[in-house]
Amino acid sequence: MRSSPSISVIIPALNEEKLLGGMLRQFTPEIVRRYDLELIVSDGGSTDRTLEIARAHAHTVVENTSGAKQTISLGRNEGARHARGDIFVFLNADTLIKDVDYFFRRISAEIAADELAAITCSVEIYPHEQKPIDRVYHGFYNWFFFMMNQVGMGMGRGECHIIKRDVFERVHGYSPHIAAGEDYDMFRRLKRVGRIKFLKDVVVYESPRRYRK
């Protein structure tokens, strides 16, 4: 049994056999030890090899055995229910971190501020799939989300949410019945509890598959 971790990385997944393995392998044993991480995959009822891959790499795999369709909000909440860390890092199953060591070093330092409720960061497309239009699109949205947080609006990209455990519990987690826009709803509630910080220099990558489709 591992001692209580400092940071719980919570990853909702549904039929993600193509990308989940690479996503989980970025958290090397050295990184896990250095930042006292636990990796949790919250599966929504996959019918491919997602569960097999998750069991090979994650510390905890939460299975949806009800057979009911699960929103990403519910998947995140279920993962959080099994988490033991003081900080929750919610990432999508296709999210890769530009510099994993720098990511955890920065958020560990920033999240300690008493008035801070949550952190979010810049999002870009996988470098090997990036097109000029992607740089324009994501460049604008990263600037927009940064500015919204600067003026106290409270907004975060869905690919990466870093939330203090006690704050997550105070706002009762994600709204489980929201199928889209759950990130906006969550940050709207988080800003009532404390400040949200957007770290421009911390970057995560996402697959372009969803927004191009």
Side-chain angles (χ1 to χ4, degrees), residues 46-133:
S46 295
T47 55
D48 61 1
R49 294 180 55 248
T50 294
L51 282 169
E52 175 188 340
I53 294 165
R55 293 187 190 109
H57 298 283
H59 298 109
T60 302
V61 179
V62 182
E63 297 185 45
N64 175 15
T65 57
S66 69
K69 188 174 180 180
Q70 191 178 86
T71 64
I72 191 170
S73 295
L74 188 54
R76 287 173 175 157
N77 287 345
E78 284 299 300
R81 194 165 64 85
H82 289 78
R84 297 178 295 130
D86 297 319
I87 302 165
F88 292 167
V89 176
F90 295 96
L91 300 173
N92 289 349
D94 64 346
T95 300
L96 297 177
I97 301 169
K98 182 178 182 179
D99 184 331
V100 180
D101 184 73
Y102 183 71
F103 176 90
F104 285 107
R105 186 154 32 94
R106 284 282 278 126
I107 68 170
S108 296
E110 294 287 350
I111 202 74
D114 289 339
E115 77 280 4
L116 206 65
I119 293 172
T120 186
C121 65
S122 299
V123 179
E124 298 177 8
I125 290 297
Y126 291 169
H128 65 281
E129 295 189 52
Q130 194 176 86
K131 298 178 180 180
I133 189 62

Side-chain angles (χ1 to χ4, degrees), residues 6-210:
S6 297
I7 301 174
S8 298
V9 180
I10 301 166
I11 306 144
L14 178 64
N15 294 329
E16 292 284 4
E17 65 177 1
K18 292 182 179 179
L19 296 173
L20 183 62
M23 189 274 180
L24 290 169
R25 281 192 293 272
Q26 68 187 320
F27 306 106
T28 64
E30 181 183 7
I31 288 291
V32 168
R33 287 193 300 271
R34 182 178 302 161
Y35 295 102
D36 200 12
L37 309 182
E38 70 169 345
L39 306 178
I40 300 172
V41 173
S42 179
D43 184 73
S46 295
T47 55
D48 61 1
R49 294 180 55 248
T50 294
L51 282 169
E52 175 188 340
I53 294 165
R55 293 187 190 109
H57 298 283
H59 298 109
T60 302
V61 179
V62 182
E63 297 185 45
N64 175 15
T65 57
S66 69
K69 188 174 180 180
Q70 191 178 86
T71 64
I72 191 170
S73 295
L74 188 54
R76 287 173 175 157
N77 287 345
E78 284 299 300
R81 194 165 64 85
H82 289 78
R84 297 178 295 130
D86 297 319
I87 302 165
F88 292 167
V89 176
F90 295 96
L91 300 173
N92 289 349
D94 64 346
T95 300
L96 297 177
I97 301 169
K98 182 178 182 179
D99 184 331
V100 180
D101 184 73
Y102 183 71
F103 176 90
F104 285 107
R105 186 154 32 94
R106 284 282 278 126
I107 68 170
S108 296
E110 294 287 350
I111 202 74
D114 289 339
E115 77 280 4
L116 206 65
I119 293 172
T120 186
C121 65
S122 299
V123 179
E124 298 177 8
I125 290 297
Y126 291 169
H128 65 281
E129 295 189 52
Q130 194 176 86
K131 298 178 180 180
I133 189 62
D134 298 326
R135 289 192 289 272
V136 174
Y137 178 88
H138 282 74
F140 169 76
Y141 273 98
N142 287 328
W143 171 84
F144 177 73
F145 276 65
F146 171 74
M147 292 305 299
M148 290 299 98
N149 284 292
Q150 285 291 96
V151 299
M153 291 293 291
M155 296 184 74
R157 302 285 296 270
E159 293 77 7
C160 178
H161 298 164
I162 300 120
I163 306 171
K164 290 178 177 177
R165 179 193 192 99
D166 62 328
V167 171
F168 184 86
E169 292 172 349
R170 282 179 65 185
V171 301
H172 306 293
Y174 293 88
S175 297
H177 303 298
I178 297 180
E182 81 291 338
D183 45 1
Y184 173 79
D185 173 76
M186 168 58 96
F187 276 78
R188 177 181 58 83
R189 290 181 287 119
L190 286 171
K191 72 176 182 180
R192 298 172 183 168
V193 177
R195 188 167 62 88
I196 297 162
K197 189 162 189 177
F198 188 104
L199 301 180
K200 291 190 294 183
D201 60 322
V202 173
V203 178
V204 300
Y205 298 123
E206 68 165 344
S207 167
R209 56 189 175 152
R210 291 190 181 90

